[in-house]
Amino acid sequence: MAAGARQVWAAQIRARFPSCPGYYRDEIAERLAARTVPPGLERQAIEEMARSVIRHQLTDYDDLLSEHTLSREEARQIVEPEVEEWFAEWESRPR
């Protein structure tokens, strides 16, 4: 994976999510740089990857799966409000 691709993705993520912390922005960029994203679907890919990172790293999603033996659908429903809160926070302009 080329460093240039990560930088391009990081710039797009920064534009889409100006309040996303650098650590998460870099992780999202690295994951996207390792994938083939069809032209025109970049924004969707960024948003889906951001939600995935939020879900797995900033909520109890993984614990709900492993410790509470919930299905992925059940766990997603439980953490969805928290995911959307983080998503909205990342979308906001820094103060």
Side-chain angles (χ1 to χ4, degrees):
M1 135 185 36
R6 282 193 307 269
Q7 291 174 344
V8 169
W9 280 113
Q12 291 182 41
I13 295 160
R14 189 177 301 110
R16 177 68 185 92
F17 295 109
S19 291
C20 176
Y23 170 81
Y24 297 115
R25 182 183 57 244
D26 293 345
E27 181 168 341
I28 294 166
E30 187 167 327
R31 290 182 183 192
L32 288 169
R35 296 180 174 6
T36 300
V37 177
L41 295 179
E42 295 88 356
R43 181 182 174 108
Q44 180 180 342
I46 289 169
E47 291 175 358
E48 288 177 8
M49 191 62 69
R51 280 190 171 90
S52 176
V53 167
I54 291 168
R55 183 181 314 109
H56 288 278
Q57 296 191 21
L58 299 173
T59 73
D60 292 331
Y61 178 77
D62 292 325
D63 290 338
L64 291 170
L65 292 175
S66 63
E67 295 176 18
H68 299 283
T69 61
L70 296 177
S71 70
R72 287 174 21 166
E73 178 71 24
E74 291 168 322
R76 281 181 184 223
Q77 287 177 348
I78 290 169
V79 301
E80 186 62 24
E82 190 175 358
V83 170
E84 290 306 313
E85 286 178 23
W86 280 108
F87 193 85
E89 184 175 317
W90 285 6
E91 283 182 309
S92 66
R93 294 279 166 209
R95 297 173 196 175

